[in-house]
Amino acid sequence: MTDATGERRVDEESARRSVVAVWRIESARIVATLTKVVGDFGLAEDLAQDALVDALAQWPVEGVPRNPGAWLTSVAKRKAIDGWRRRERYDDRLAAIAHDLEAEQQRQTDAPPWDPDEIGDDVLRLVFIACHPVLSREAQVALTLRVVGGLTTEEIAKAFLVPTSTVQQRIVRAKQALADAGVGFEAPARDEFAQRLGTVLGVLYLIFNEGYAASSGDEWMRPELSREALRLGRTVVALVPREPEAHALVALMELTAARFPARLDRDGHPVLLADQDRTRWDRSAITRGRAALARADAIGRGRGAYALQAAIAEQHDLAASVDDTDWQAIVAIYDGLVSLTPSPVVELNRAVAVAMASGPGAGLELVDALADDKRLRLSHLLPSVRGELLARLGRDDEARAEFELAAQRAENARERAVLLAKAAARR
């Protein structure tokens, strides 16, 4: 029998999970709506965060509202009005917002779930604001991932292999810079698209990757994030149809997302690429991805970083099994990618491909050459790959030590469990 205290704890935990889920799905739209209302990007996020605090206090007692996203937005708007009142800044905007809030409350009684398509352009506009040229590239990426992707500062820090405090400082300074510059809630003129496009595409891909392989928490994947990144990517393509890398990014996301249905088993456990049932892969997504890559190629400016990565994903998607994969072709594509956008992660992935094409010894030599790279010092990726290659060479004791080290560094619970299972298998 559960006592009153136990029931309250269950309600609080259920409400907390609801708040987290709603925030992950709705945060970008909530902040976009609030930014349009208050005209201040930083203030909009602060108001949304304050509304989240209210939700954590009220939902365990009153229950989760039928339309939680609208509830959070309404509470945040009230807080904006209260703030203006406290500063004795009544104006026409206050009257308009108050009137709009009353009308919205009336509509919420039997309102259907929020239709993302109704405010999709607002979200994309938010992405372009976060990628404003007054910000450094690092600040643009951090701010967009925080506000649009709903990632925590810890998750962003992990993605960029930098300390959490560094990301916190970037976000604070970015908000202040936007406020100082008086940046409003408006999309840039078309002739400014190109200036921001590279960062926008980069951020969308980072959001997609966080959905493909969650950097922390208890979930192996966060597919809602990947779907949102893909949806925004398609919208960007519609805005700039002559930009090959926009098509290529959509191709990459489609070809990667095609494997989502096979990445978890029926019990929700992770399934690695070599063990996936490829009949469960989404063939429609593969077709869409290949068509998008063909459109990128047809523009005729040569392949960029996203097109090369899409070509690698295409090789995987077309193979009947890991053994049937054309690893020599993948190594050749990685050679081009390393030359175009060198990074330790790209070189580590190339080492894996070399190991598949030429044997684990050749791959291990490349991995060991990356051992002193400071950007990988705290990452689980290098010991994880090194453990795989040592295991293939039959050096079980060393492989186990590498898997255990990788598990210590992994911040995703599911990934940690996979690594510990690999370590245990080497005993």
Side-chain angles (χ1 to χ4, degrees), residues 8-49:
R8 187 165 59 252
R9 287 174 180 164
V10 171
D11 291 342
E12 289 174 352
E13 179 59 20
S14 176
R16 187 193 68 79
R17 289 179 180 275
S18 297
V19 170
V20 171
V22 170
W23 184 247
R24 282 181 176 174
I25 297 170
E26 304 276 17
S27 60
R29 299 182 181 91
I30 293 170
V31 174
T33 301
L34 293 172
T35 303
K36 187 163 59 175
V37 170
V38 303
D40 185 317
F41 187 88
L43 174 59
E45 198 202 1
D46 290 343
L47 291 167
Q49 294 287 346

Short mmCIF file of all heavy atoms in Angstrom, two decimals, residues 8-49:
data_model
loop_
_atom_site.label_atom_id
_atom_site.label_comp_id
_atom_site.label_asym_id
_atom_site.label_seq_id
_atom_site.Cartn_x
_atom_site.Cartn_y
_atom_site.Cartn_z
N ARG A 8 2.50 11.40 -3.08
CA ARG A 8 2.94 12.74 -3.45
C ARG A 8 4.26 12.69 -4.22
O ARG A 8 4.45 13.40 -5.19
CB ARG A 8 3.09 13.60 -2.19
CG ARG A 8 3.39 15.07 -2.49
CD ARG A 8 3.17 15.95 -1.27
NE ARG A 8 3.98 15.58 -0.14
CZ ARG A 8 3.53 15.00 0.96
NH1 ARG A 8 2.24 14.73 1.08
NH2 ARG A 8 4.34 14.70 1.95
N ARG A 9 5.15 11.78 -3.76
CA ARG A 9 6.43 11.66 -4.45
C ARG A 9 6.23 11.16 -5.89
O ARG A 9 6.89 11.60 -6.82
CB ARG A 9 7.35 10.71 -3.69
CG ARG A 9 7.91 11.32 -2.40
CD ARG A 9 8.69 10.30 -1.62
NE ARG A 9 9.22 10.88 -0.38
CZ ARG A 9 9.68 10.16 0.62
NH1 ARG A 9 9.67 8.82 0.54
NH2 ARG A 9 10.14 10.74 1.69
N VAL A 10 5.30 10.20 -6.04
CA VAL A 10 5.00 9.70 -7.38
C VAL A 10 4.47 10.82 -8.26
O VAL A 10 4.86 10.99 -9.42
CB VAL A 10 4.00 8.53 -7.31
CG1 VAL A 10 3.52 8.16 -8.71
CG2 VAL A 10 4.63 7.33 -6.63
N ASP A 11 3.52 11.63 -7.70
CA ASP A 11 2.95 12.75 -8.46
C ASP A 11 4.04 13.75 -8.84
O ASP A 11 4.06 14.27 -9.96
CB ASP A 11 1.88 13.45 -7.63
CG ASP A 11 0.64 12.58 -7.47
OD1 ASP A 11 0.50 11.61 -8.25
OD2 ASP A 11 -0.14 12.85 -6.55
N GLU A 12 4.93 14.04 -7.89
CA GLU A 12 6.00 15.00 -8.17
C GLU A 12 6.92 14.49 -9.27
O GLU A 12 7.31 15.24 -10.16
CB GLU A 12 6.79 15.29 -6.89
CG GLU A 12 6.01 16.09 -5.86
CD GLU A 12 6.76 16.23 -4.56
OE1 GLU A 12 7.81 15.56 -4.41
OE2 GLU A 12 6.29 16.98 -3.69
N GLU A 13 7.26 13.20 -9.19
CA GLU A 13 8.14 12.64 -10.22
C GLU A 13 7.45 12.61 -11.58
O GLU A 13 8.07 12.92 -12.61
CB GLU A 13 8.56 11.21 -9.81
CG GLU A 13 9.46 10.51 -10.82
CD GLU A 13 10.77 11.27 -11.08
OE1 GLU A 13 11.16 12.11 -10.25
OE2 GLU A 13 11.38 11.01 -12.14
N SER A 14 6.15 12.25 -11.57
CA SER A 14 5.41 12.24 -12.83
C SER A 14 5.33 13.64 -13.43
O SER A 14 5.52 13.82 -14.64
CB SER A 14 3.99 11.70 -12.58
OG SER A 14 3.23 11.77 -13.76
N ALA A 15 5.08 14.63 -12.57
CA ALA A 15 5.01 16.00 -13.05
C ALA A 15 6.36 16.47 -13.56
O ALA A 15 6.46 17.16 -14.59
CB ALA A 15 4.51 16.92 -11.94
N ARG A 16 7.43 16.09 -12.84
CA ARG A 16 8.77 16.50 -13.27
C ARG A 16 9.07 15.94 -14.66
O ARG A 16 9.60 16.64 -15.53
CB ARG A 16 9.82 16.00 -12.27
CG ARG A 16 11.23 16.53 -12.53
CD ARG A 16 12.26 15.77 -11.72
NE ARG A 16 12.40 14.41 -12.17
CZ ARG A 16 13.08 14.04 -13.25
NH1 ARG A 16 13.68 14.95 -13.98
NH2 ARG A 16 13.16 12.78 -13.62
N ARG A 17 8.72 14.66 -14.86
CA ARG A 17 8.95 14.05 -16.17
C ARG A 17 8.14 14.76 -17.26
O ARG A 17 8.60 14.94 -18.38
CB ARG A 17 8.59 12.56 -16.13
CG ARG A 17 9.57 11.72 -15.32
CD ARG A 17 9.12 10.27 -15.31
NE ARG A 17 10.02 9.44 -14.54
CZ ARG A 17 11.13 8.89 -15.04
NH1 ARG A 17 11.42 9.07 -16.31
NH2 ARG A 17 11.92 8.15 -14.29
N SER A 18 6.91 15.15 -16.90
CA SER A 18 6.07 15.86 -17.88
C SER A 18 6.69 17.20 -18.25
O SER A 18 6.71 17.58 -19.43
CB SER A 18 4.66 16.07 -17.31
OG SER A 18 4.03 14.84 -17.08
N VAL A 19 7.19 17.91 -17.23
CA VAL A 19 7.81 19.21 -17.49
C VAL A 19 9.00 19.05 -18.41
O VAL A 19 9.17 19.79 -19.39
CB VAL A 19 8.23 19.88 -16.17
CG1 VAL A 19 9.10 21.11 -16.46
CG2 VAL A 19 7.01 20.28 -15.37
N VAL A 20 9.84 18.03 -18.12
CA VAL A 20 11.03 17.80 -18.94
C VAL A 20 10.63 17.47 -20.38
O VAL A 20 11.20 18.00 -21.35
CB VAL A 20 11.88 16.66 -18.34
CG1 VAL A 20 12.99 16.25 -19.31
CG2 VAL A 20 12.48 17.09 -17.00
N ALA A 21 9.62 16.60 -20.52
CA ALA A 21 9.20 16.19 -21.86
C ALA A 21 8.63 17.37 -22.64
O ALA A 21 8.95 17.57 -23.82
CB ALA A 21 8.16 15.07 -21.76
N VAL A 22 7.77 18.15 -21.98
CA VAL A 22 7.17 19.30 -22.66
C VAL A 22 8.24 20.30 -23.07
O VAL A 22 8.23 20.84 -24.17
CB VAL A 22 6.14 19.98 -21.73
CG1 VAL A 22 5.69 21.31 -22.32
CG2 VAL A 22 4.93 19.07 -21.53
N TRP A 23 9.21 20.52 -22.18
CA TRP A 23 10.25 21.49 -22.48
C TRP A 23 11.08 21.05 -23.68
O TRP A 23 11.42 21.86 -24.54
CB TRP A 23 11.14 21.68 -21.26
CG TRP A 23 12.19 22.74 -21.47
CD1 TRP A 23 13.53 22.58 -21.55
CD2 TRP A 23 11.94 24.15 -21.66
NE1 TRP A 23 14.15 23.79 -21.77
CE2 TRP A 23 13.20 24.77 -21.83
CE3 TRP A 23 10.80 24.93 -21.68
CZ2 TRP A 23 13.33 26.12 -22.04
CZ3 TRP A 23 10.94 26.29 -21.90
CH2 TRP A 23 12.19 26.87 -22.07
N ARG A 24 11.38 19.76 -23.76
CA ARG A 24 12.18 19.28 -24.88
C ARG A 24 11.46 19.47 -26.21
O ARG A 24 12.05 19.79 -27.22
CB ARG A 24 12.50 17.80 -24.69
CG ARG A 24 13.61 17.55 -23.70
CD ARG A 24 13.90 16.09 -23.58
NE ARG A 24 15.03 15.87 -22.69
CZ ARG A 24 15.45 14.68 -22.32
NH1 ARG A 24 14.83 13.61 -22.75
NH2 ARG A 24 16.48 14.55 -21.52
N ILE A 25 10.16 19.26 -26.18
CA ILE A 25 9.39 19.32 -27.43
C ILE A 25 8.98 20.75 -27.77
O ILE A 25 9.02 21.17 -28.92
CB ILE A 25 8.14 18.43 -27.31
CG1 ILE A 25 8.57 16.97 -27.14
CG2 ILE A 25 7.24 18.58 -28.53
CD1 ILE A 25 7.43 16.04 -26.78
N GLU A 26 8.61 21.53 -26.75
CA GLU A 26 7.98 22.82 -27.00
C GLU A 26 8.87 24.03 -26.76
O GLU A 26 8.47 25.15 -27.06
CB GLU A 26 6.74 22.96 -26.08
CG GLU A 26 5.73 21.84 -26.21
CD GLU A 26 4.77 22.07 -27.36
OE1 GLU A 26 5.09 22.89 -28.23
OE2 GLU A 26 3.72 21.41 -27.38
N SER A 27 10.07 23.84 -26.17
CA SER A 27 10.85 24.99 -25.70
C SER A 27 11.10 26.01 -26.81
O SER A 27 10.95 27.22 -26.59
CB SER A 27 12.17 24.53 -25.09
OG SER A 27 12.95 23.83 -26.05
N ALA A 28 11.49 25.54 -27.98
CA ALA A 28 11.80 26.49 -29.06
C ALA A 28 10.57 27.32 -29.43
O ALA A 28 10.67 28.53 -29.64
CB ALA A 28 12.30 25.73 -30.28
N ARG A 29 9.42 26.67 -29.51
CA ARG A 29 8.21 27.40 -29.90
C ARG A 29 7.78 28.36 -28.80
O ARG A 29 7.31 29.46 -29.08
CB ARG A 29 7.10 26.41 -30.21
CG ARG A 29 7.44 25.48 -31.36
CD ARG A 29 6.30 24.54 -31.69
NE ARG A 29 6.68 23.65 -32.78
CZ ARG A 29 7.25 22.48 -32.61
NH1 ARG A 29 7.48 22.03 -31.40
NH2 ARG A 29 7.59 21.74 -33.64
N ILE A 30 7.93 27.93 -27.55
CA ILE A 30 7.56 28.82 -26.44
C ILE A 30 8.45 30.06 -26.44
O ILE A 30 7.95 31.19 -26.35
CB ILE A 30 7.68 28.06 -25.09
CG1 ILE A 30 6.62 26.96 -25.01
CG2 ILE A 30 7.54 29.03 -23.92
CD1 ILE A 30 6.81 26.01 -23.85
N VAL A 31 9.76 29.85 -26.55
CA VAL A 31 10.68 31.00 -26.52
C VAL A 31 10.47 31.87 -27.77
O VAL A 31 10.53 33.10 -27.69
CB VAL A 31 12.14 30.52 -26.42
CG1 VAL A 31 13.10 31.69 -26.53
CG2 VAL A 31 12.36 29.78 -25.10
N ALA A 32 10.20 31.24 -28.91
CA ALA A 32 9.94 32.03 -30.12
C ALA A 32 8.71 32.91 -29.95
O ALA A 32 8.72 34.09 -30.30
CB ALA A 32 9.76 31.09 -31.31
N THR A 33 7.64 32.33 -29.40
CA THR A 33 6.42 33.11 -29.18
C THR A 33 6.66 34.25 -28.20
O THR A 33 6.24 35.39 -28.43
CB THR A 33 5.31 32.19 -28.63
OG1 THR A 33 5.07 31.14 -29.57
CG2 THR A 33 4.02 32.96 -28.41
N LEU A 34 7.39 33.95 -27.12
CA LEU A 34 7.64 34.98 -26.12
C LEU A 34 8.56 36.08 -26.66
O LEU A 34 8.39 37.26 -26.33
CB LEU A 34 8.26 34.35 -24.86
CG LEU A 34 7.32 33.42 -24.09
CD1 LEU A 34 8.09 32.70 -22.99
CD2 LEU A 34 6.16 34.20 -23.50
N THR A 35 9.53 35.68 -27.49
CA THR A 35 10.43 36.69 -28.06
C THR A 35 9.65 37.66 -28.94
O THR A 35 9.88 38.87 -28.93
CB THR A 35 11.54 36.01 -28.89
OG1 THR A 35 12.25 35.09 -28.05
CG2 THR A 35 12.53 37.03 -29.42
N LYS A 36 8.69 37.10 -29.68
CA LYS A 36 7.86 37.97 -30.52
C LYS A 36 7.03 38.94 -29.67
O LYS A 36 6.80 40.08 -30.05
CB LYS A 36 6.94 37.12 -31.40
CG LYS A 36 6.16 37.91 -32.42
CD LYS A 36 5.60 37.01 -33.51
CE LYS A 36 4.68 35.94 -32.98
NZ LYS A 36 4.06 35.14 -34.06
N VAL A 37 6.62 38.47 -28.49
CA VAL A 37 5.76 39.30 -27.63
C VAL A 37 6.56 40.37 -26.90
O VAL A 37 6.19 41.55 -26.90
CB VAL A 37 5.04 38.41 -26.60
CG1 VAL A 37 4.34 39.26 -25.54
CG2 VAL A 37 4.03 37.51 -27.31
N VAL A 38 7.68 39.97 -26.27
CA VAL A 38 8.41 40.92 -25.42
C VAL A 38 9.53 41.63 -26.17
O VAL A 38 10.08 42.61 -25.67
CB VAL A 38 8.98 40.22 -24.16
CG1 VAL A 38 7.86 39.55 -23.39
CG2 VAL A 38 10.06 39.20 -24.53
N GLY A 39 9.91 41.09 -27.35
CA GLY A 39 10.93 41.75 -28.16
C GLY A 39 12.33 41.65 -27.61
O GLY A 39 13.20 42.42 -27.99
N ASP A 40 12.57 40.69 -26.71
CA ASP A 40 13.89 40.55 -26.09
C ASP A 40 14.17 39.06 -25.94
O ASP A 40 13.51 38.37 -25.16
CB ASP A 40 13.91 41.25 -24.73
CG ASP A 40 15.31 41.22 -24.10
OD1 ASP A 40 15.97 40.17 -24.16
OD2 ASP A 40 15.73 42.26 -23.55
N PHE A 41 15.17 38.59 -26.67
CA PHE A 41 15.49 37.17 -26.69
C PHE A 41 15.83 36.63 -25.29
O PHE A 41 15.32 35.61 -24.85
CB PHE A 41 16.68 37.00 -27.65
CG PHE A 41 17.07 35.59 -27.94
CD1 PHE A 41 16.48 34.91 -28.98
CD2 PHE A 41 18.03 34.96 -27.17
CE1 PHE A 41 16.86 33.60 -29.26
CE2 PHE A 41 18.41 33.66 -27.46
CZ PHE A 41 17.81 32.99 -28.50
N GLY A 42 16.71 37.35 -24.59
CA GLY A 42 17.14 36.89 -23.27
C GLY A 42 16.01 36.91 -22.27
O GLY A 42 15.83 35.96 -21.48
N LEU A 43 15.20 37.99 -22.29
CA LEU A 43 14.06 38.07 -21.37
C LEU A 43 13.07 36.95 -21.65
O LEU A 43 12.51 36.36 -20.72
CB LEU A 43 13.38 39.43 -21.54
CG LEU A 43 12.08 39.62 -20.74
CD1 LEU A 43 12.33 39.46 -19.24
CD2 LEU A 43 11.46 41.00 -21.04
N ALA A 44 12.87 36.62 -22.92
CA ALA A 44 11.94 35.55 -23.28
C ALA A 44 12.36 34.22 -22.66
O ALA A 44 11.54 33.49 -22.11
CB ALA A 44 11.85 35.42 -24.80
N GLU A 45 13.64 33.91 -22.72
CA GLU A 45 14.08 32.64 -22.14
C GLU A 45 13.96 32.66 -20.62
O GLU A 45 13.57 31.67 -20.01
CB GLU A 45 15.52 32.32 -22.56
CG GLU A 45 15.82 30.84 -22.34
CD GLU A 45 17.30 30.55 -22.21
OE1 GLU A 45 18.10 31.48 -22.26
OE2 GLU A 45 17.62 29.37 -22.04
N ASP A 46 14.28 33.80 -20.00
CA ASP A 46 14.14 33.90 -18.54
C ASP A 46 12.68 33.69 -18.12
O ASP A 46 12.40 33.00 -17.13
CB ASP A 46 14.63 35.26 -18.06
CG ASP A 46 16.14 35.41 -18.20
OD1 ASP A 46 16.82 34.37 -18.34
OD2 ASP A 46 16.63 36.55 -18.17
N LEU A 47 11.75 34.29 -18.87
CA LEU A 47 10.33 34.14 -18.54
C LEU A 47 9.89 32.68 -18.68
O LEU A 47 9.12 32.16 -17.85
CB LEU A 47 9.48 35.03 -19.46
CG LEU A 47 9.62 36.54 -19.24
CD1 LEU A 47 8.98 37.30 -20.41
CD2 LEU A 47 8.97 36.96 -17.91
N ALA A 48 10.39 32.02 -19.73
CA ALA A 48 10.04 30.62 -19.93
C ALA A 48 10.57 29.75 -18.80
O ALA A 48 9.89 28.84 -18.32
CB ALA A 48 10.58 30.14 -21.28
N GLN A 49 11.77 30.05 -18.36
CA GLN A 49 12.35 29.28 -17.25
C GLN A 49 11.56 29.51 -15.97
O GLN A 49 11.33 28.57 -15.19
CB GLN A 49 13.82 29.69 -17.04
CG GLN A 49 14.75 29.34 -18.18
CD GLN A 49 15.05 27.85 -18.26
OE1 GLN A 49 14.79 27.12 -17.31
NE2 GLN A 49 15.59 27.41 -19.38
#
